[in-house]
Amino acid sequence: MFSERVMEDVCERENLKRALKRVIQNKGSAGVDGMTVEELPGYLKENWLRIKEELLKGVYRPKPVKRVEIPKPGSREKRKLGIPCVLDRFVQQALLQVLQVKWDKTFSEHSYGFRPKRSAHQAIAKAQAYIQEGYGYVVDLDLEKFFDRVCHDRLMSRLATEIEDKRVLKLIRSYLQAGILENGLVHVPTEGTPQGGPLSPFLSNVVLDELDRELEARGHRFVRYADDLNLYVKSKRAGERVMESISRYITNRLKLKVNAAKSAVDVPPKLGFLGFTFTGGKQPNRRKIADKSLKRFKARVRQITRRNRGISIQDMINRLNQFLTGWIGYFKYCETPSVFRDSDSWIRRRLRCVQWKQWKIFKKRRAELMKLGVNEKLAATTAFCPDGPWYMSHTPGVRIALNNNHFDSLGLVRLMAY
C-alpha cells in the first residue's frame, strides 16, 4: 500500500531530474501545444513552481493528446498512438518512477513487458524452457485492440486498492480521460489507455496482472509480454480447452476481447512470439527468427538499398548500418546463425547492384573494376555485358572488385560478427 503522500515523492527533486533526463533521451515529437523536448528544460525553469503547486493541490490538468497512426509491422492495419505534450510526458515519467518501484515487486513472475530488469529475451527463454520440458503446444491469445479497450473504472478500482493518495488517482484518471485531438476535433475517451505516454505500459500491466493471477491459480504455464500472451500445454485438445476457457474469462471478467482470427493453438515452429519462433526437425526447440520478422527485415533493407535513391554508396551504407545495428542487437539472440551469414551475402549483393548501376557506362565500369583489382581483360568483358544489375552482381568480375573486404573498408556492418 502506498502512503497518502505519493505526490510529494513525485515532486521530489532527484525524481524530477531523472524524469527529465529520461524524457530528453526518449526524444519524440511535440504534442498539441507544439513544445519540443529541447524547449522543455527552459519552460520548467520558468513555470515549475506553478506546476508543482497544481500537482500538490490536485488541480493539475493535462492537455489533450495528439492522435497519430503508424503502420503495424506485417499488417495493413494502423496502430493508433496518442502523443502527449512533452510537459505531460515529464509528469507521467515522474509519476511512473514512483509507482513502479513498489508496484513492480507485486507483479507476476510470468510478466516480462515494460518492467525494470526484464526483457523480451527473458520471455523467449522462458517459453523455450516450457517447450523443452515437453509442453509441445502453444495457445497464442491475441487481445484485440487491448490498449483501446481497457475499462477505466476497473483500472481505477484496481489502482485504488494500493494508492491512498487521492491526488494521484485523480491525476491518473485525468490522463485516461484527456481529450484526443484527431482531424481537428477533440473527443474524450470513455475507455482505453492511449499508447504513446510513459504511464500507459505500466497501467496495462496493472490491468493484466489480474489475468496473470488467474492463470497462476489454474496452474498454467505461460509467458506474457504486455498484451502478447502464450500458454504452453501438452496436447492440442488441452490447448483448445484452455483457449475456450481463458477467452471466456477475458471477455466476461476483464471486459476485454480476444481476437479469434489471430489466436491459435499449434506447435511452436508454426507460431511466432516476439519476433522469434522455434525449430522443429532433427534439432528442435532452438530459437529462430520468425518468417514474418525476416520478411520485414528484407523489406526494410530493400527500401534503404533502392537503386534509384540518388545517394552515394557510402551514404547508403551509413543509413543501412543504423538499421542493421539495432536489428541485430535484438535478433542476435537466435540460435540459427546461418540466417546472418545468408543475410550478409544478400545485403552485399544488393549493394553490388547499386554500385553497378551507379557506374552506368562501359568506360566507367571498366575503369572502376580495374581500379579495384580486376585484370584488364575480365574488366572489359564484365563492363561490356548487357545483363541487368542483379545478374551482374554475381559475376566474377564484380565479385572480385566489390568483395567482402571492400565493403568492410566502407564500414558495412556484418551481422555474422555479432
Side-chain angles (χ1 to χ4, degrees):
M1 177 74 72
F2 290 88
S3 71
E4 294 184 357
R5 295 179 59 81
V6 175
M7 193 62 79
E8 279 73 14
D9 294 336
V10 172
C11 295
E12 193 268 327
R13 181 176 177 82
E14 288 303 314
N15 185 56
L16 296 172
K17 286 171 64 177
R18 288 191 293 116
L20 180 59
K21 182 178 180 180
R22 177 58 65 88
V23 170
I24 292 174
Q25 286 176 340
N26 290 343
K27 299 180 181 180
S29 59
V32 296
D33 61 356
M35 185 191 302
T36 64
V37 170
E38 292 76 17
E39 295 170 329
L40 179 59
Y43 181 84
L44 290 175
K45 284 182 180 179
E46 295 181 6
N47 297 276
W48 173 245
L49 291 179
R50 171 185 58 81
I51 297 167
K52 179 179 179 180
E53 184 178 4
E54 291 178 359
L55 288 169
L56 293 177
K57 289 184 177 180
V59 296
Y60 178 85
R61 289 292 177 271
K63 290 183 172 64
V65 300
K66 181 170 67 176
R67 174 75 83 198
V68 296
E69 294 184 348
I70 62 172
K72 280 188 176 182
S75 171
R76 294 183 179 179
E77 297 179 15
K78 298 286 187 177
R79 176 176 284 117
K80 293 184 177 181
L81 299 182
I83 307 301
C85 299
V86 292
L87 175 61
D88 288 321
R89 298 209 292 268
F90 167 70
V91 174
Q92 284 192 38
Q93 181 64 38
L95 179 57
L96 170 66
Q97 290 169 178
V98 172
L99 296 181
Q100 196 164 46
V101 167
K102 291 185 178 180
W103 206 310
D104 188 77
K105 298 174 184 177
T106 71
F107 286 147
S108 168
E109 285 296 310
H110 302 276
S111 165
Y112 292 87
F114 308 112
R115 297 181 59 189
K117 299 180 180 180
R118 290 190 157 236
S119 68
H121 289 170
Q122 292 174 335
I124 295 160
K126 188 63 177 177
Q128 184 179 25
Y130 285 140
I131 296 166
Q132 291 172 343
E133 289 171 9
Y135 294 87
Y137 279 83
V138 183
V139 181
D140 184 4
L141 280 166
D142 183 90
L143 300 181
E144 184 174 323
K145 297 181 179 178
F146 166 72
F147 286 94
D148 297 331
R149 296 181 183 274
V150 170
C151 175
H152 289 176
D153 290 338
R154 283 188 58 81
L155 172 57
M156 293 308 304
S157 176
R158 178 72 183 92
L159 292 169
T161 62
E162 299 292 334
I163 301 173
E164 292 184 349
D165 194 327
K166 303 300 182 184
R167 298 166 298 178
V168 171
L169 295 173
K170 186 177 179 181
L171 178 62
I172 293 175
R173 185 175 278 278
S174 70
Y175 276 123
L176 293 174
Q177 297 180 340
I180 297 174
L181 178 63
E182 189 173 18
N183 299 323
L185 299 175
V186 176
H187 70 273
V188 178
T190 57
E191 61 181 4
T193 61
Q195 296 183 72
L199 202 56
S200 182
F202 168 76
L203 296 178
S204 72
N205 276 333
V206 172
V207 171
L208 291 175
D209 189 58
E210 185 174 351
L211 174 59
D212 294 342
R213 299 306 176 188
E214 178 66 19
L215 295 176
E216 288 174 349
R218 297 187 185 191
H220 289 306
R221 286 153 180 82
F222 71 97
V223 180
R224 183 176 66 79
Y225 189 95
D227 57 336
D228 285 322
L229 175 63
N230 277 5
L231 299 94
Y232 298 85
V233 296
K234 290 192 173 182
S235 69
K236 187 167 186 178
R237 185 176 179 183
E240 290 169 347
R241 287 199 305 269
V242 169
M243 171 78 80
E244 182 181 353
S245 174
I246 299 303
S247 296
R248 188 164 54 246
Y249 176 86
I250 289 171
T251 301
N252 297 338
R253 178 74 177 179
L254 301 183
K255 309 303 180 186
L256 298 171
K257 186 176 180 181
V258 174
N259 188 333
K262 293 184 178 180
S263 299
V265 178
D266 215 326
V267 292
K270 293 186 178 180
L271 295 175
F273 182 52
L274 302 177
F276 288 84
T277 185
F278 299 94
T279 59
K282 294 181 180 179
Q283 293 181 310
N285 304 333
R286 293 191 299 163
R287 297 185 297 270
K288 173 186 172 185
I289 301 174
D291 289 343
K292 286 185 179 179
S293 300
L294 284 175
K295 286 181 181 178
R296 290 196 292 268
F297 166 77
K298 288 195 170 185
R300 180 64 179 137
V301 171
R302 287 190 182 100
Q303 182 183 38
I304 296 171
T305 58
R306 292 195 312 271
R307 298 171 205 167
N308 59 352
R309 291 201 66 180
I311 62 175
S312 70
I313 198 74
Q314 184 65 69
D315 286 343
M316 185 173 287
I317 286 175
N318 292 342
R319 298 181 190 189
L320 187 59
N321 282 347
Q322 291 180 354
F323 167 68
L324 294 178
T325 302
W327 187 86
I328 193 62
Y330 181 74
F331 284 106
K332 66 182 179 183
Y333 193 58
C334 91
E335 296 175 317
T336 54
S338 61
V339 68
F340 301 134
R341 180 198 62 217
D342 295 343
S343 296
D344 278 334
S345 177
W346 176 73
I347 290 168
R348 286 191 294 265
R349 188 170 181 183
R350 287 197 60 83
L351 290 172
R352 290 187 189 107
C353 288
V354 173
Q355 187 67 87
W356 185 253
K357 186 172 183 181
Q358 288 182 353
W359 285 341
K360 291 185 178 179
I361 61 175
F362 169 78
K363 285 186 178 181
K364 176 72 170 176
R365 287 172 174 172
R366 183 180 63 178
E368 293 294 338
L369 289 172
M370 292 175 62
K371 189 188 299 183
L372 291 169
V374 181
N375 67 63
E376 184 176 358
K377 182 179 180 181
L378 180 57
T381 304
T382 304
F384 195 71
C385 186
D387 291 302
W390 186 249
Y391 175 85
M392 293 306 301
S393 67
H394 209 55
T395 56
V398 174
R399 294 190 69 178
I400 290 170
L402 304 178
N403 57 29
N404 295 359
N405 291 336
H406 173 76
F407 288 115
D408 287 344
S409 71
L410 295 177
L412 176 66
V413 166
R414 281 203 192 196
L415 301 180
M416 274 296 291
Y418 283 80

